[in-house]
Amino acid sequence: MNALYLAQDPTLADFGKDPWWLVVGKVLFAFVFAVLATLLGVWFERRVVGYMQVRPGPNQVGPFGLLQTLADGLKMAFKEDILPRTADKVVYFFAPTISVICAVTALSVVPFGPMVSIFGHWTPLQVTDVSVAVLVLLACSSMGIYGIVLGGWASGSTYPLLGGLRSSAQMISYEVAMGLSIVAVFMTAGTMSTSGIVAAQGDGTQLSIFGTEIPAPGWYAILLLPSFIIFFIATVGETNRAPFDLPEAESELVAGFMTEYSSLKFALFMLSEYVSMVTMSAVTTTLFLGGWRAPWPITLWEGANSGWWPMLWFFGKVILLVFVFVWLRGTLPRLRYDQFMRLGWKVLLPINLVWILVLSGLRSIEDWDTKGRLTAVGIAAGVLLIATLFWPTRRPQPKPSVQEQVDSRPHGSFPLPPMDLQVPPSPRITRVVAEREPANIAAGSDSREV
């Protein structure tokens, strides 16, 4: 009975019943997880990128260089804290803390595991959960950008201001794509509760094709593949990670919004970036990768989703996504600003809208009989095929040749150099040579005409 209870998914009714010391313990656990994940995340990124670039990375301070990040943090704490003369002191001071607080707060609604027993109390491995928990995640993600925007504005300098403006444009562009990609999750799971979304991915989905029931995976990363890809791209944009690290582009903005920051304030901005990366990896795991549930073939073991084992699967998925973040940074160059905006508004947004429309149509015909579903899908496919065949294309105009461009120049234009890059002989030189008279030099029998 206990094993069965431990394997149960928590519901909204299971929250709000913990004693105060257990609530404090869960909050501390989430905070310690964020801090340790940041320290290890910096070390992990430097080691992985070093391996990709055929260099060792940090390996001297502590075993395998694990204490290098801690040493760097202590070094930052003892550096001089410089305050720009033209800065807005209050906003300048609180901007880094806004980013950190929002990133850590998002972990409060992320489920780390199922119901477990902690000192005799049955409780879910989650700080709290509400019926609109995913909206809380979106709110924390959006509010975290305000720390960057305010930090860039309050610095009183040009480059930080440009970095803050870029960050605000990023937030507007990719928050829309992120929100629309989660709509597909709502439609499929039927709930906005994070624990409910994890529970909805626990059982495999049965697909009916031509009257035949075919089992399919329950993870939304497979069932809702377009939404998963768009959500992850938007996540990279929201966390200002490469190749979307435009607010802190050192090639044209020195260090972007962090240019005028030093000491612990600079460390807080770095901390917020890595906490956001870990938090969004945990959110992606919850919404699309089954949360704390074990992947196949581990699920063949009956106790895989019971007790404390699910925390291991959850952390493994988070580490895998963090590795993808690092992998992107080590392989892709930074996008230009216009390319970045074009990707968000002209690529991700239209694809997301079309995908939601298709998914809504498929959900609306689930209760139809087989013949009706085939007819609806066939009509939709036919309309799509006809639209594709007869869609007007913008054929590029034929480019005029070089001679046509020269002939079309107006009268009185500046002279052009030769188009074949070969300089013809000067007619004056030819005339001078023709008019020259032979010179006879009397030098004995060896005289000759020169």
Side-chain angles (χ1 to χ4, degrees):
M1 180 66 182
N2 290 338
L4 179 62
Y5 188 77
L6 287 174
Q8 285 183 350
D9 293 282
T11 61
L12 292 178
D14 297 319
F15 294 92
K17 300 179 180 180
D18 298 331
W20 67 268
W21 57 267
L22 190 55
V23 175
V24 173
K26 289 183 178 181
V27 173
L28 289 177
F29 172 78
F31 178 76
V32 171
F33 167 72
V35 175
L36 289 181
T38 300
L39 295 177
L40 296 178
V42 177
W43 171 85
F44 180 75
E45 179 173 11
R46 296 176 66 182
R47 292 284 291 187
V48 172
V49 174
Y51 177 78
M52 291 179 179
Q53 298 174 350
V54 197
R55 56 182 178 82
N59 59 357
Q60 298 298 316
V61 184
F64 305 104
L66 286 171
L67 299 180
Q68 182 64 55
T69 306
L70 181 60
D72 292 340
L74 294 176
K75 178 178 65 176
M76 286 185 182
F78 288 101
K79 283 184 176 293
E80 181 181 3
D81 190 6
I82 301 174
L83 179 65
R85 182 177 300 175
T86 58
D88 188 319
K89 297 179 177 55
V90 177
V91 181
Y92 179 86
F93 177 80
F94 282 105
T97 61
I98 294 176
S99 299
V100 177
I101 291 174
C102 292
V104 175
T105 303
L107 290 173
S108 62
V109 292
V110 173
F112 292 89
M115 301 286 293
V116 296
S117 176
I118 301 179
F119 298 110
H121 292 272
W122 301 106
T123 180
L125 284 176
Q126 184 176 352
V127 177
T128 186
D129 194 11
V130 291
S131 57
V132 289
V134 180
L135 298 184
V136 175
L137 295 175
L138 287 177
C140 292
S141 175
S142 302
M143 292 295 295
I145 308 295
Y146 280 95
I148 298 176
V149 176
L150 294 176
W153 173 81
S155 297
S157 180
T158 303
Y159 287 127
L161 178 60
L162 292 176
L165 292 177
R166 285 186 178 186
S167 182
S168 61
Q170 246 175 266
M171 176 189 68
I172 296 172
S173 301
Y174 283 79
E175 195 73 24
V176 176
M178 179 182 292
L180 288 177
S181 60
I182 299 179
V183 171
V185 177
F186 298 162
M187 294 170 56
T188 307
T191 179
M192 292 187 184
S193 168
T194 51
S195 58
I197 291 174
V198 173
Q201 300 178 73
D203 300 327
T205 305
Q206 297 293 327
L207 299 179
S208 179
I209 301 178
F210 299 106
T212 304
E213 297 291 335
I214 299 177
W219 287 10
Y220 292 154
I222 301 175
L223 296 178
L224 308 174
L225 183 60
S227 296
F228 171 66
I229 295 176
I230 294 173
F231 181 85
F232 191 76
I233 294 175
T235 296
V236 178
E238 284 283 306
T239 53
N240 300 326
R241 294 282 302 181
F244 302 147
D245 53 340
L246 297 174
E248 51 185 274
E250 65 277 359
S251 58
E252 66 265 25
L253 296 182
V254 187
F257 62 94
M258 296 189 297
T259 301
E260 303 295 341
Y261 279 89
S262 60
S263 190
L264 284 178
K265 298 183 184 66
F266 182 83
L268 283 177
F269 267 129
M270 288 192 61
L271 177 70
S272 66
E273 178 180 332
Y274 283 91
V275 171
S276 299
M277 181 175 65
V278 174
T279 300
M280 296 312 295
S281 298
V283 172
T284 306
T285 299
T286 301
L287 298 181
F288 293 97
L289 298 180
W292 46 263
R293 292 188 172 275
W296 189 88
I298 302 178
T299 52
L300 299 177
W301 172 39
E302 293 183 358
N305 293 323
S306 301
W308 297 88
W309 287 104
M311 290 188 66
L312 180 62
W313 323 135
F314 179 82
F315 291 148
K317 296 174 186 178
V318 171
I319 293 174
L320 179 61
L321 290 177
V322 171
F323 170 76
V324 176
F325 275 96
V326 177
W327 191 6
L328 293 176
R329 177 169 185 172
T331 54
L332 296 181
R334 181 183 296 118
L335 272 69
R336 290 200 319 264
Y337 187 72
D338 59 321
Q339 294 173 337
F340 181 67
M341 291 293 105
R342 187 184 304 114
L343 176 65
W345 289 107
K346 294 187 176 181
V347 178
L348 298 183
L349 190 59
I351 292 177
N352 223 334
L353 292 174
V354 173
W355 166 243
I356 292 176
L357 181 63
V358 172
L359 185 63
S360 302
L362 294 176
R363 295 283 295 178
S364 62
I365 64 175
E366 281 184 346
D367 298 332
W368 295 9
D369 56 359
T370 305
K371 183 178 180 180
R373 279 183 288 182
L374 290 177
T375 303
V377 173
I379 293 175
V383 171
L384 180 62
L385 179 61
I386 294 174
T388 304
L389 293 176
F390 294 96
W391 190 267
T393 58
R394 296 181 179 179
R395 296 182 179 179
Q397 297 293 333
K399 187 177 181 180
S401 63
V402 176
Q403 189 60 40
E404 292 175 349
Q405 296 181 31
V406 173
D407 296 339
S408 62
R409 298 173 72 243
H411 179 71
S413 301
F414 287 100
L416 291 176
M419 294 295 102
D420 54 1
L421 299 181
Q422 295 181 2
V423 180
S426 174
R428 184 175 180 277
I429 295 178
T430 305
R431 179 173 55 81
V432 170
V433 172
E435 294 176 354
R436 287 180 60 185
E437 298 179 356
N440 295 327
I441 301 175
S445 59
D446 295 335
S447 61
R448 63 186 181 188
E449 181 177 315
V450 179

mmCIF file of all heavy atoms in Angstrom, residues 413-443:
data_model
loop_
_atom_site.group_PDB
_atom_site.id
_atom_site.type_symbol
_atom_site.label_atom_id
_atom_site.label_comp_id
_atom_site.label_asym_id
_atom_site.label_seq_id
_atom_site.Cartn_x
_atom_site.Cartn_y
_atom_site.Cartn_z
ATOM 1 N N SER A 413 27.100 61.045 -67.385
ATOM 2 C CA SER A 413 27.549 60.349 -66.174
ATOM 3 C C SER A 413 29.063 60.292 -66.127
ATOM 4 O O SER A 413 29.760 60.537 -67.120
ATOM 5 C CB SER A 413 26.970 58.936 -66.138
ATOM 6 O OG SER A 413 25.556 58.978 -66.160
ATOM 7 N N PHE A 414 29.577 59.955 -64.970
ATOM 8 C CA PHE A 414 31.019 59.840 -64.816
ATOM 9 C C PHE A 414 31.543 58.702 -65.691
ATOM 10 O O PHE A 414 30.864 57.687 -65.884
ATOM 11 C CB PHE A 414 31.377 59.570 -63.352
ATOM 12 C CG PHE A 414 31.198 60.771 -62.469
ATOM 13 C CD1 PHE A 414 30.066 60.924 -61.677
ATOM 14 C CD2 PHE A 414 32.164 61.760 -62.445
ATOM 15 C CE1 PHE A 414 29.913 62.034 -60.882
ATOM 16 C CE2 PHE A 414 32.007 62.876 -61.634
ATOM 17 C CZ PHE A 414 30.883 63.022 -60.863
ATOM 18 N N PRO A 415 32.761 58.818 -66.202
ATOM 19 C CA PRO A 415 33.322 57.746 -67.028
ATOM 20 C C PRO A 415 33.561 56.491 -66.205
ATOM 21 O O PRO A 415 33.832 56.558 -65.004
ATOM 22 C CB PRO A 415 34.630 58.346 -67.537
ATOM 23 C CG PRO A 415 34.973 59.412 -66.560
ATOM 24 C CD PRO A 415 33.667 59.972 -66.085
ATOM 25 N N LEU A 416 33.426 55.360 -66.854
ATOM 26 C CA LEU A 416 33.598 54.075 -66.199
ATOM 27 C C LEU A 416 34.935 53.457 -66.578
ATOM 28 O O LEU A 416 35.432 53.643 -67.694
ATOM 29 C CB LEU A 416 32.480 53.113 -66.603
ATOM 30 C CG LEU A 416 31.074 53.435 -66.088
ATOM 31 C CD1 LEU A 416 30.077 52.445 -66.660
ATOM 32 C CD2 LEU A 416 31.043 53.394 -64.580
ATOM 33 N N PRO A 417 35.514 52.694 -65.674
ATOM 34 C CA PRO A 417 36.721 51.948 -66.048
ATOM 35 C C PRO A 417 36.349 50.799 -66.978
ATOM 36 O O PRO A 417 35.182 50.449 -67.120
ATOM 37 C CB PRO A 417 37.232 51.440 -64.690
ATOM 38 C CG PRO A 417 36.014 51.369 -63.848
ATOM 39 C CD PRO A 417 35.157 52.514 -64.268
ATOM 40 N N PRO A 418 37.325 50.213 -67.643
ATOM 41 C CA PRO A 418 37.016 49.086 -68.542
ATOM 42 C C PRO A 418 36.351 47.955 -67.782
ATOM 43 O O PRO A 418 36.763 47.598 -66.678
ATOM 44 C CB PRO A 418 38.390 48.684 -69.090
ATOM 45 C CG PRO A 418 39.281 49.836 -68.818
ATOM 46 C CD PRO A 418 38.745 50.559 -67.642
ATOM 47 N N MET A 419 35.288 47.364 -68.362
ATOM 48 C CA MET A 419 34.549 46.317 -67.693
ATOM 49 C C MET A 419 35.333 45.017 -67.601
ATOM 50 O O MET A 419 35.119 44.205 -66.713
ATOM 51 C CB MET A 419 33.220 46.055 -68.432
ATOM 52 C CG MET A 419 32.247 47.227 -68.367
ATOM 53 S SD MET A 419 31.667 47.578 -66.685
ATOM 54 C CE MET A 419 32.666 49.009 -66.274
ATOM 55 N N ASP A 420 36.276 44.784 -68.570
ATOM 56 C CA ASP A 420 37.059 43.553 -68.538
ATOM 57 C C ASP A 420 38.364 43.713 -67.759
ATOM 58 O O ASP A 420 39.211 42.810 -67.763
ATOM 59 C CB ASP A 420 37.381 43.101 -69.973
ATOM 60 C CG ASP A 420 38.065 44.203 -70.782
ATOM 61 O OD1 ASP A 420 38.295 45.285 -70.210
ATOM 62 O OD2 ASP A 420 38.349 43.972 -71.960
ATOM 63 N N LEU A 421 38.526 44.887 -67.117
ATOM 64 C CA LEU A 421 39.689 45.162 -66.280
ATOM 65 C C LEU A 421 41.006 45.094 -67.063
ATOM 66 O O LEU A 421 42.071 44.868 -66.497
ATOM 67 C CB LEU A 421 39.746 44.198 -65.090
ATOM 68 C CG LEU A 421 38.547 44.252 -64.138
ATOM 69 C CD1 LEU A 421 38.743 43.275 -63.002
ATOM 70 C CD2 LEU A 421 38.358 45.654 -63.587
ATOM 71 N N GLN A 422 40.955 45.258 -68.372
ATOM 72 C CA GLN A 422 42.146 45.299 -69.206
ATOM 73 C C GLN A 422 42.262 46.699 -69.819
ATOM 74 O O GLN A 422 41.349 47.159 -70.504
ATOM 75 C CB GLN A 422 42.092 44.241 -70.307
ATOM 76 C CG GLN A 422 42.114 42.809 -69.768
ATOM 77 C CD GLN A 422 42.094 41.791 -70.892
ATOM 78 O OE1 GLN A 422 42.096 42.168 -72.068
ATOM 79 N NE2 GLN A 422 42.080 40.516 -70.522
ATOM 80 N N VAL A 423 43.367 47.349 -69.593
ATOM 81 C CA VAL A 423 43.573 48.710 -70.089
ATOM 82 C C VAL A 423 44.076 48.635 -71.534
ATOM 83 O O VAL A 423 45.110 48.003 -71.809
ATOM 84 C CB VAL A 423 44.581 49.472 -69.222
ATOM 85 C CG1 VAL A 423 44.779 50.888 -69.744
ATOM 86 C CG2 VAL A 423 44.110 49.495 -67.769
ATOM 87 N N PRO A 424 43.357 49.236 -72.496
ATOM 88 C CA PRO A 424 43.826 49.201 -73.892
ATOM 89 C C PRO A 424 45.055 50.077 -74.069
ATOM 90 O O PRO A 424 45.303 50.997 -73.278
ATOM 91 C CB PRO A 424 42.615 49.742 -74.672
ATOM 92 C CG PRO A 424 41.907 50.608 -73.699
ATOM 93 C CD PRO A 424 42.092 49.974 -72.350
ATOM 94 N N PRO A 425 45.833 49.817 -75.100
ATOM 95 C CA PRO A 425 47.027 50.656 -75.327
ATOM 96 C C PRO A 425 46.633 52.082 -75.683
ATOM 97 O O PRO A 425 45.604 52.333 -76.308
ATOM 98 C CB PRO A 425 47.729 49.958 -76.500
ATOM 99 C CG PRO A 425 46.654 49.169 -77.170
ATOM 100 C CD PRO A 425 45.717 48.749 -76.083
ATOM 101 N N SER A 426 47.440 53.027 -75.261
ATOM 102 C CA SER A 426 47.153 54.432 -75.509
ATOM 103 C C SER A 426 47.338 54.763 -76.994
ATOM 104 O O SER A 426 48.370 54.408 -77.589
ATOM 105 C CB SER A 426 48.079 55.309 -74.668
ATOM 106 O OG SER A 426 47.899 56.672 -74.993
ATOM 107 N N PRO A 427 46.369 55.414 -77.611
ATOM 108 C CA PRO A 427 46.549 55.786 -79.027
ATOM 109 C C PRO A 427 47.683 56.786 -79.233
ATOM 110 O O PRO A 427 48.298 56.842 -80.295
ATOM 111 C CB PRO A 427 45.181 56.383 -79.401
ATOM 112 C CG PRO A 427 44.585 56.802 -78.103
ATOM 113 C CD PRO A 427 45.088 55.830 -77.080
ATOM 114 N N ARG A 428 47.970 57.560 -78.209
ATOM 115 C CA ARG A 428 49.066 58.540 -78.332
ATOM 116 C C ARG A 428 50.409 57.841 -78.451
ATOM 117 O O ARG A 428 51.284 58.241 -79.220
ATOM 118 C CB ARG A 428 49.048 59.469 -77.123
ATOM 119 C CG ARG A 428 50.090 60.578 -77.192
ATOM 120 C CD ARG A 428 49.936 61.519 -76.030
ATOM 121 N NE ARG A 428 50.925 62.585 -76.088
ATOM 122 C CZ ARG A 428 52.166 62.474 -75.650
ATOM 123 N NH1 ARG A 428 52.569 61.332 -75.116
ATOM 124 N NH2 ARG A 428 53.009 63.490 -75.737
ATOM 125 N N ILE A 429 50.577 56.762 -77.693
ATOM 126 C CA ILE A 429 51.834 56.019 -77.761
ATOM 127 C C ILE A 429 52.034 55.440 -79.152
ATOM 128 O O ILE A 429 53.107 55.481 -79.737
ATOM 129 C CB ILE A 429 51.866 54.920 -76.693
ATOM 130 C CG1 ILE A 429 51.852 55.549 -75.298
ATOM 131 C CG2 ILE A 429 53.070 54.025 -76.859
ATOM 132 C CD1 ILE A 429 51.825 54.553 -74.181
ATOM 133 N N THR A 430 50.964 54.938 -79.743
ATOM 134 C CA THR A 430 51.063 54.384 -81.093
ATOM 135 C C THR A 430 51.479 55.459 -82.100
ATOM 136 O O THR A 430 52.316 55.243 -82.978
ATOM 137 C CB THR A 430 49.715 53.763 -81.494
ATOM 138 O OG1 THR A 430 49.338 52.813 -80.501
ATOM 139 C CG2 THR A 430 49.808 53.095 -82.849
ATOM 140 N N ARG A 431 50.890 56.642 -81.972
ATOM 141 C CA ARG A 431 51.206 57.730 -82.897
ATOM 142 C C ARG A 431 52.646 58.186 -82.751
ATOM 143 O O ARG A 431 53.352 58.421 -83.740
ATOM 144 C CB ARG A 431 50.261 58.906 -82.642
ATOM 145 C CG ARG A 431 50.523 60.118 -83.542
ATOM 146 C CD ARG A 431 49.421 61.150 -83.335
ATOM 147 N NE ARG A 431 49.298 61.521 -81.928
ATOM 148 C CZ ARG A 431 50.099 62.404 -81.341
ATOM 149 N NH1 ARG A 431 51.077 62.974 -82.003
ATOM 150 N NH2 ARG A 431 49.912 62.702 -80.075
ATOM 151 N N VAL A 432 53.125 58.275 -81.515
ATOM 152 C CA VAL A 432 54.510 58.715 -81.299
ATOM 153 C C VAL A 432 55.488 57.715 -81.881
ATOM 154 O O VAL A 432 56.483 58.065 -82.529
ATOM 155 C CB VAL A 432 54.770 58.942 -79.813
ATOM 156 C CG1 VAL A 432 56.261 59.169 -79.549
ATOM 157 C CG2 VAL A 432 53.962 60.125 -79.302
ATOM 158 N N VAL A 433 55.223 56.455 -81.697
ATOM 159 C CA VAL A 433 56.115 55.434 -82.245
ATOM 160 C C VAL A 433 56.125 55.485 -83.753
ATOM 161 O O VAL A 433 57.155 55.329 -84.413
ATOM 162 C CB VAL A 433 55.690 54.045 -81.738
ATOM 163 C CG1 VAL A 433 56.481 52.954 -82.439
ATOM 164 C CG2 VAL A 433 55.897 53.960 -80.236
ATOM 165 N N ALA A 434 54.957 55.740 -84.363
ATOM 166 C CA ALA A 434 54.903 55.784 -85.832
ATOM 167 C C ALA A 434 55.635 56.987 -86.396
ATOM 168 O O ALA A 434 56.161 56.944 -87.509
ATOM 169 C CB ALA A 434 53.442 55.798 -86.281
ATOM 170 N N GLU A 435 55.654 58.123 -85.637
ATOM 171 C CA GLU A 435 56.288 59.326 -86.144
ATOM 172 C C GLU A 435 57.785 59.383 -85.890
ATOM 173 O O GLU A 435 58.472 60.289 -86.359
ATOM 174 C CB GLU A 435 55.630 60.564 -85.529
ATOM 175 C CG GLU A 435 54.184 60.752 -85.961
ATOM 176 C CD GLU A 435 53.541 61.922 -85.254
ATOM 177 O OE1 GLU A 435 54.213 62.487 -84.348
ATOM 178 O OE2 GLU A 435 52.393 62.263 -85.575
ATOM 179 N N ARG A 436 58.311 58.459 -85.143
ATOM 180 C CA ARG A 436 59.737 58.484 -84.848
ATOM 181 C C ARG A 436 60.550 58.130 -86.089
ATOM 182 O O ARG A 436 60.177 57.262 -86.879
ATOM 183 C CB ARG A 436 60.063 57.493 -83.729
ATOM 184 C CG ARG A 436 59.598 57.944 -82.347
ATOM 185 C CD ARG A 436 59.952 56.920 -81.306
ATOM 186 N NE ARG A 436 61.411 56.717 -81.271
ATOM 187 C CZ ARG A 436 62.000 55.793 -80.499
ATOM 188 N NH1 ARG A 436 61.234 54.987 -79.763
ATOM 189 N NH2 ARG A 436 63.309 55.671 -80.488
ATOM 190 N N GLU A 437 61.660 58.813 -86.248
ATOM 191 C CA GLU A 437 62.561 58.530 -87.369
ATOM 192 C C GLU A 437 63.687 57.635 -86.903
ATOM 193 O O GLU A 437 64.152 57.745 -85.761
ATOM 194 C CB GLU A 437 63.136 59.836 -87.933
ATOM 195 C CG GLU A 437 62.080 60.769 -88.497
ATOM 196 C CD GLU A 437 62.707 62.043 -89.011
ATOM 197 O OE1 GLU A 437 63.949 62.178 -88.837
ATOM 198 O OE2 GLU A 437 61.967 62.881 -89.549
ATOM 199 N N PRO A 438 64.117 56.743 -87.751
ATOM 200 C CA PRO A 438 65.213 55.854 -87.345
ATOM 201 C C PRO A 438 66.504 56.641 -87.109
ATOM 202 O O PRO A 438 66.785 57.598 -87.812
ATOM 203 C CB PRO A 438 65.327 54.895 -88.509
ATOM 204 C CG PRO A 438 64.738 55.593 -89.671
ATOM 205 C CD PRO A 438 63.654 56.461 -89.129
ATOM 206 N N ALA A 439 67.224 56.282 -86.125
ATOM 207 C CA ALA A 439 68.498 56.952 -85.792
ATOM 208 C C ALA A 439 69.642 56.062 -86.237
ATOM 209 O O ALA A 439 69.741 54.906 -85.808
ATOM 210 C CB ALA A 439 68.567 57.214 -84.297
ATOM 211 N N ASN A 440 70.481 56.594 -87.098
ATOM 212 C CA ASN A 440 71.650 55.868 -87.576
ATOM 213 C C ASN A 440 72.868 56.292 -86.777
ATOM 214 O O ASN A 440 73.185 57.469 -86.658
ATOM 215 C CB ASN A 440 71.880 56.149 -89.055
ATOM 216 C CG ASN A 440 70.718 55.613 -89.911
ATOM 217 O OD1 ASN A 440 70.138 54.593 -89.561
ATOM 218 N ND2 ASN A 440 70.416 56.314 -90.997
ATOM 219 N N ILE A 441 73.552 55.330 -86.229
ATOM 220 C CA ILE A 441 74.755 55.588 -85.429
ATOM 221 C C ILE A 441 75.932 54.950 -86.134
ATOM 222 O O ILE A 441 75.953 53.737 -86.360
ATOM 223 C CB ILE A 441 74.617 55.015 -84.010
ATOM 224 C CG1 ILE A 441 73.405 55.635 -83.305
ATOM 225 C CG2 ILE A 441 75.883 55.247 -83.191
ATOM 226 C CD1 ILE A 441 73.135 55.051 -81.955
ATOM 227 N N ALA A 442 76.836 55.781 -86.494
ATOM 228 C CA ALA A 442 78.019 55.270 -87.193
ATOM 229 C C ALA A 442 78.995 54.712 -86.194
ATOM 230 O O ALA A 442 79.629 55.449 -85.424
ATOM 231 C CB ALA A 442 78.677 56.386 -88.017
ATOM 232 N N ALA A 443 79.089 53.476 -86.116
ATOM 233 C CA ALA A 443 79.993 52.852 -85.157
ATOM 234 C C ALA A 443 80.738 51.701 -85.813
ATOM 235 O O ALA A 443 80.901 50.632 -85.269
ATOM 236 C CB ALA A 443 79.212 52.349 -83.958
#
